[in-house]
Amino acid sequence: MQSIMTERLTIGYDAKRIVRNGTGLGSYGRTLVNDLAALDAFDLRLYAPDEGQTQLRSQIVGRSNVAFCYPRHARTALGKALWRSHGIVKQLVRDGVQLYHGLSGELPTGISEAGIQTVVTIHDLIFMRHPEYYKRADVKIYTKKFFNTLKEADRIVAISECTKRDICQLGDIDPRRVSVVYQSCAKRFAEVPDSTKMWQVRDKYELPDRYVLSVGTIEERKNVLLAVKALHHLPDDVSLVIVGRQTPYSDHVHEYVLEHRMHSRVQMLHNVPDDDLPALYRMADAFVYPSRYEGFGIPIIEAISQGLPVVACTGSCLEEAGGPDSLYVNPDDPQAMANALQQVLYGAAGREQRIERSQHYIARFQNSDAAQQMVDVYNSITMT
């Protein structure tokens, strides 16, 4: 492992998702920034179009080497969008930023011409692999941004080997330009919630005695209906608790639940605070992640950190996240999903050993390791 660079750089970060997104890209940015800030090796400047949500912004630990930066004159949505894609470059130059990291697959136009070195994290290219899950106009916009970003970036970070393969194949990029740095899991998921918190969460959501948990936006690509259908083949006392943002697909799932009279066994929870998630994980029998395609799958790491066995689907990168002791099934086979869940519910032979080995596997995603790997990426640019 390389040592931390001795020259103190001023690094800018695209912080739009940090202050606006509760999960996904927002969690990635907040976790990475907090871990890098703790190293106290850089001055970090977080560039956001506005202050966003206080509860999200406040998750960035207050340190002397971290500061939020906002546009001086952009007030409208269009003005903020133009600032983020173009106008920010002048502000970065004024602020003495030497390296800029686009945390959500984008870089502002003209940043390389301004002499600022760049890193971009690309989480997935699902809009190119599976355009059927997106509006046609959005696919065109995202694809254009992807190729523009490739032109600006000095270094590309992929959050999985699967995403790296997609970048190289779909972007015709030399693999040597792409570094894989796995997404780390927030430290709170490694802490066992106390019994009082767990009882509060159980009462708050009126949770069933036994349940399998699923966490993630309730959308078609995430394929949670597979887990619902698997309940037909599981013991009657096992329920499914689905946590995630509501979309039109949620209505489709709800209709299936009503049609098959499964309302007593399926519970959908929306707008769940981050503070409640560890307890929701900890009290479950198992975790299910039936997504058809992901860039990585951080909820799998969160679940394993909280002591759960995992069942996921084949077809993308989920085996990278869950390791060899999680189970993986065809995303169109409810019976296979049920059979796999039977192998990891409480009382199943080898369940505890499976969990222990999985926890050993995810040690590679520890926060300090991910931060140090990102430092090495920065080093590879600034020290050449």
Side-chain angles (χ1 to χ4, degrees), residues 150-167:
L150 296 183
K151 295 176 183 177
E152 297 283 355
D154 290 309
R155 194 72 182 173
I156 301 163
V157 170
I159 63 168
S160 68
E161 291 289 348
C162 178
T163 295
K164 178 176 180 176
R165 288 193 299 271
D166 284 352
I167 293 169

Side-chain angles (χ1 to χ4, degrees), residues 75-135:
R75 296 291 181 266
T76 65
L78 177 59
K80 293 174 183 180
L82 290 174
W83 171 82
R84 184 166 174 260
S85 62
H86 294 82
I88 189 177
V89 175
K90 291 182 179 179
Q91 189 168 342
L92 296 173
V93 172
R94 285 197 303 267
D95 293 348
V97 170
Q98 298 147 290
L99 175 68
Y100 183 81
H101 189 162
L103 295 173
S104 56
E106 299 179 54
L107 289 171
T109 301
I111 190 169
S112 56
E113 293 181 3
I116 298 173
Q117 294 175 306
T118 55
V119 175
V120 63
T121 297
I122 295 179
H123 297 259
D124 62 68
L125 294 179
I126 300 171
F127 57 90
M128 296 178 76
R129 285 294 187 199
H130 290 281
E132 66 271 20
Y133 296 130
Y134 298 83
K135 296 178 181 178

Side-chain angles (χ1 to χ4, degrees), residues 130 160 162 165 291-296 313-320:
H130 290 281
S160 68
C162 178
R165 288 193 299 271
S291 181
R292 294 182 180 277
Y293 209 90
E294 292 292 327
F296 182 54
C313 284
T314 57
S316 60
C317 65
L318 300 183
E319 292 92 338
E320 280 187 69

Side-chain angles (χ1 to χ4, degrees), residues 14 20 27 35-36 57 61-62 82 86 95 104 118 143-145 147 150 183 195 227 262 302 305 307 342 363:
D14 176 7
R20 292 188 181 181
S27 295
D35 296 340
L36 289 170
R57 191 177 65 255
V61 178
L82 290 174
H86 294 82
D95 293 348
S104 56
T118 55
T143 301
K144 183 178 180 180
K145 285 184 176 181
F147 283 104
L150 296 183
Q183 184 175 356
S195 58
M262 302 175 71
E302 296 171 354
S305 297
Q342 287 276 25

Side-chain angles (χ1 to χ4, degrees), residues 13 149 219 223 262 286 295 331:
Y13 293 87
T149 293
E219 59 184 338
N223 194 35
M262 302 175 71

Side-chain angles (χ1 to χ4, degrees), residues 39 98 104 152 187 192 233 266 325 331 339 359:
L39 298 178
Q98 298 147 290
S104 56
E152 297 283 355
K187 294 179 180 178
V192 178
H233 311 288
V266 179
D325 290 288
N339 293 343
Q359 290 181 325

Side-chain angles (χ1 to χ4, degrees), residues 312-351:
C313 284
T314 57
S316 60
C317 65
L318 300 183
E319 292 92 338
E320 280 187 69
D325 290 288
S326 295
L327 298 178
Y328 309 93
V329 303
N330 185 298
D332 294 303
D333 192 338
Q335 182 65 66
M337 172 61 73
N339 293 343
L341 286 170
Q342 287 276 25
Q343 296 178 56
V344 298
L345 295 174
Y346 276 119
R351 178 180 185 274

Side-chain angles (χ1 to χ4, degrees), residues 152-199:
E152 297 283 355
D154 290 309
R155 194 72 182 173
I156 301 163
V157 170
I159 63 168
S160 68
E161 291 289 348
C162 178
T163 295
K164 178 176 180 176
R165 288 193 299 271
D166 284 352
I167 293 169
C168 295
Q169 292 172 8
L170 299 175
D172 192 23
I173 291 295
D174 185 337
R176 291 174 294 184
R177 283 186 63 193
V178 186
S179 300
V180 174
V181 178
Y182 286 112
Q183 184 175 356
S184 60
C185 177
K187 294 179 180 178
R188 67 181 181 278
F189 290 102
E191 301 171 356
V192 178
D194 62 44
S195 58
T196 300
K197 177 65 176 179
M198 287 195 284
W199 278 112

